[in-house]
Amino acid sequence: MRSLCVFCGSSVGNHQDYALLARQLGGCLAEAGITLVYGGGKVGLMGAVADATLAAGGRVLGVMPEHLVKQEIAHTGLSELHVVASMHERKEKMAALSDGFIALPGGAGTFEELFEQWTWAQLGIHEKPCALLNAKGYFQPLLAMIGGMVAEGFMRSAYRDMLIVSEQPATLIELMENYLPPPPKWAK
């Protein structure tokens, strides 16, 4: 893997473990020679993962819509900052720059970005791994809900199993490097 996209919160949340794990992930990415692609912010978990990657000598590419740059939340110390016109363009650019996707704790935007990439993987639009860095069990309710989707016949277990889950950044990266996608949803 040359680059991984990280989706995460623009706040640090209520537990220091979230920022600690974001910093650990940044260090692991740099150590593995993997470029961080992310939303370009200097705040929250976004800033924590970017700062840690940079501090460990890694490369960081940010992608941010112009209206957010104007609000002065863009990280100014990145390897590269791509300024785009819209959130849609941001997601397209981040996907094009990335070999896989990791979600850390975050809000609606984090989930929206992850779900789009996971859906695209199910449909065969790409074959990139999608993963959850499960800090403090943050994603357990989501995983239970996804299990319910499978149990109720709204999702095949193969698509649930596409989501790679770990509490350890190095383990997550290793699992992503060994990922083999299932056949696309509508493949014959």
Side-chain angles (χ1 to χ4, degrees):
M1 301 217 142
R2 296 179 323 267
S3 61
L4 287 173
C5 182
V6 174
F7 305 128
C8 59
S10 59
S11 73
V12 293
N14 292 332
H15 300 283
Q16 65 184 16
D17 292 350
Y18 298 143
L20 176 64
L21 207 54
R23 288 190 296 273
Q24 288 175 353
L25 175 61
C28 286
L29 291 172
E31 184 178 309
I34 297 171
T35 297
L36 167 65
V37 177
Y38 85 118
K42 64 181 179 183
V43 296
L45 296 184
M46 292 172 63
V49 71
D51 288 342
T53 305
L54 292 165
R59 184 167 155 76
V60 180
L61 306 181
V63 183
M64 184 173 278
E66 187 174 5
H67 78 276
L68 292 178
V69 173
K70 288 179 180 177
Q71 292 179 18
E72 298 183 359
I73 62 167
H75 196 302
T76 57
L78 303 178
S79 308
E80 291 180 41
L81 177 64
H82 298 268
V83 179
V84 296
S86 68
M87 293 296 281
H88 291 292
E89 208 176 309
R90 175 195 220 178
K91 292 188 300 179
E92 284 180 27
K93 184 72 167 175
M94 290 186 342
L97 292 170
S98 303
D99 297 320
F101 308 92
I102 298 174
L104 277 81
T110 299
F111 283 88
E112 186 267 336
E113 291 168 328
L114 171 71
F115 271 67
E116 179 173 80
Q117 293 307 323
W118 182 33
T119 300
W120 287 6
Q122 290 176 44
L123 295 173
I125 294 170
H126 68 70
E127 294 185 339
K128 302 172 184 179
C130 297
L132 303 172
L133 188 52
N134 198 16
K136 288 189 58 61
Y138 182 80
F139 291 109
Q140 288 311 122
L142 173 64
L143 294 169
M145 186 178 109
I146 293 168
M149 291 176 190
V150 172
E152 294 299 323
F154 288 102
M155 179 182 290
R156 294 182 195 156
S157 60
Y159 303 127
R160 172 198 56 208
D161 297 343
M162 291 174 83
L163 279 179
I164 300 165
V165 182
S166 179
E167 296 177 3
Q168 302 299 321
T171 301
L172 193 74
I173 292 168
E174 182 180 336
L175 291 169
M176 293 179 79
E177 287 175 340
N178 295 309
Y179 172 75
L180 294 173
K185 187 172 187 173
W186 303 113
K188 299 204 183 231

